[in-house]
Amino acid sequence: MQNNTSKATKQEALKAIIIGGGIGGLTCAIACLDMGMQVELYEKRDLDSMLSGPGGIFIQRNAMRVYELLWEGRIRSQLYQQGAKILKGGFFSKQAKPLYINAPEFVKAEDLGICILRPELQSILYNALPEGTVRNKAAFTDFVETADGIRVSFADGREAWGDVLIGADGLYSQVRARLNGKEQMEPPIYSGMSCWRGWFYKDNLPLDPRYSWGEFWGRGNRFGYFDVGGDRFSFYAFSQAEAGGNDEAMGGSKKALQALFSSYAQPIPAIIEALSEGSIYRDDIFDREPPGMQWGRGRVTLIGDAAHPVQPNLGQGGCMAIEDAFELVKMLIIGEEKGEDIPASLREFEVSRSKRVEKVFTTSRQVGNLGQTDSDFGCFLRNLIYWLIPTWLGDLQFKWLFNYDPKKHLKSKLS
């Protein structure tokens, strides 16, 4: 067990204690080391569980700009080597009629980032950290702030000392709960949607080679797929359902998906037929209202889903965590150079991120509501509007996402 003598002194580099070994936490740890900070990351799961995850994820152009800077650009290179580029794709009716097609040219780029399987992304990030940075099977319980640091406690009796505590522990964040003086977080807001996820091999499936991704909209449900590299594709399916449901009564998830999407045009039936039962993961979709302009207190702050979970309708949930991670560390370094105290730097970080993450939250809910329209007239009207809107006008609802510039206000701290 550590004691007070292990605290960082004024002469030492700032030390961050990160709770949570997901995308945001691992990225934050890499950013800390790149910018000259000390860091320890604690994760309640074992290593194998931490490096797992269902289906794939979008790392879009805005988040990829962060990885261009970290670890001398090697993370970006590995992502492009292992994943697949986000190229042309869009929204379709369930009869496979294009409603809105998006292409990288709308932001004057060759691609919009990459898609990759979650375990592969987790492994790339974990392997970018020195051995010993991540401590597994460490369940956070509490923190105590002192005049010159913060002491963090874990269920097994361990303690850690640092200058700042960063909660990157997701939707049910224990750090956020303790910030509010509670043992557990309040229940999140159920979206009304269940989600099925997984991946499949392309093989001889009738996928349109013009598109690297596509989302097909029906009545109260939708189905999407995207290229994740190596002749593999990830899929996701949403349908309105009561929270906490399962597929046992349907004879399993594959049969449930076949029933839900039986009226969809190809390639959806062929994709579902190609799935193996054990490769399908089902869960419910939740979010929380944005926290406003203050996410933490004192030497404690939050990033990613711990602060602002969003519905996965834009492919930006992980991207926001990546941006948060980089902007937080950048703000701590800038604050140190300006002579600001740590709490002031953390509050500046929170204010600087609040407007952007709230816009992502709102837009994601709007897209989800459109995709999940559950009346015949509503579906007809939705599809007609999207079909009639010029592509350039449709692009405007997403173009702002890619304006993020991590180099803004950044000096030469990156190693």
Side-chain angles (χ1 to χ4, degrees), residues 141-152:
T141 55
D142 207 351
F143 67 87
V144 175
E145 187 168 343
T146 67
D148 58 353
I150 195 158
R151 184 178 74 242
V152 184

Side-chain angles (χ1 to χ4, degrees), residues 140-143 174-183:
F140 166 87
T141 55
D142 207 351
F143 67 87
Q174 285 296 103
V175 177
R176 184 170 176 171
R178 296 307 299 148
L179 273 169
N180 296 326
K182 299 177 180 179
E183 292 297 324

Side-chain angles (χ1 to χ4, degrees), residues 109-176:
E110 294 182 359
D111 61 74
L112 294 177
I114 62 98
C115 294
I116 189 170
L117 290 177
R118 286 176 180 270
E120 294 175 359
L121 170 62
Q122 288 285 107
S123 294
I124 288 171
L125 297 177
Y126 173 75
N127 290 329
L129 291 168
E131 185 176 354
T133 304
V134 177
R135 290 93 188 281
N136 292 98
K137 298 183 179 180
F140 166 87
T141 55
D142 207 351
F143 67 87
V144 175
E145 187 168 343
T146 67
D148 58 353
I150 195 158
R151 184 178 74 242
V152 184
S153 304
F154 300 90
D156 61 2
R158 272 183 283 185
E159 289 187 342
W161 283 90
D163 297 294
V164 58
L165 173 62
I166 301 166
D169 48 341
L171 178 67
Y172 297 96
S173 171
Q174 285 296 103
V175 177
R176 184 170 176 171

Side-chain angles (χ1 to χ4, degrees), residues 382-413:
R382 172 199 65 195
N383 292 356
L384 180 64
I385 290 172
Y386 261 89
W387 186 67
L388 291 176
I389 289 177
T391 299
W392 67 267
L393 188 57
D395 289 342
L396 291 180
Q397 68 180 318
F398 305 116
K399 194 170 184 177
W400 59 273
L401 286 167
F402 304 103
N403 293 334
Y404 169 66
D405 179 12
K407 293 182 180 179
K408 188 176 181 181
H409 307 306
L410 182 66
K411 294 183 180 178
S412 56
K413 273 287 183 179

Side-chain angles (χ1 to χ4, degrees), residues 358-402:
E358 286 187 21
K359 189 171 182 180
V360 169
F361 174 90
T362 301
T363 306
S364 185
R365 274 196 173 180
Q366 289 171 345
V367 171
N369 289 337
L370 281 170
Q372 293 296 127
T373 300
D374 61 0
S375 71
D376 288 335
F377 179 73
C379 290
F380 169 78
L381 188 61
R382 172 199 65 195
N383 292 356
L384 180 64
I385 290 172
Y386 261 89
W387 186 67
L388 291 176
I389 289 177
T391 299
W392 67 267
L393 188 57
D395 289 342
L396 291 180
Q397 68 180 318
F398 305 116
K399 194 170 184 177
W400 59 273
L401 286 167
F402 304 103

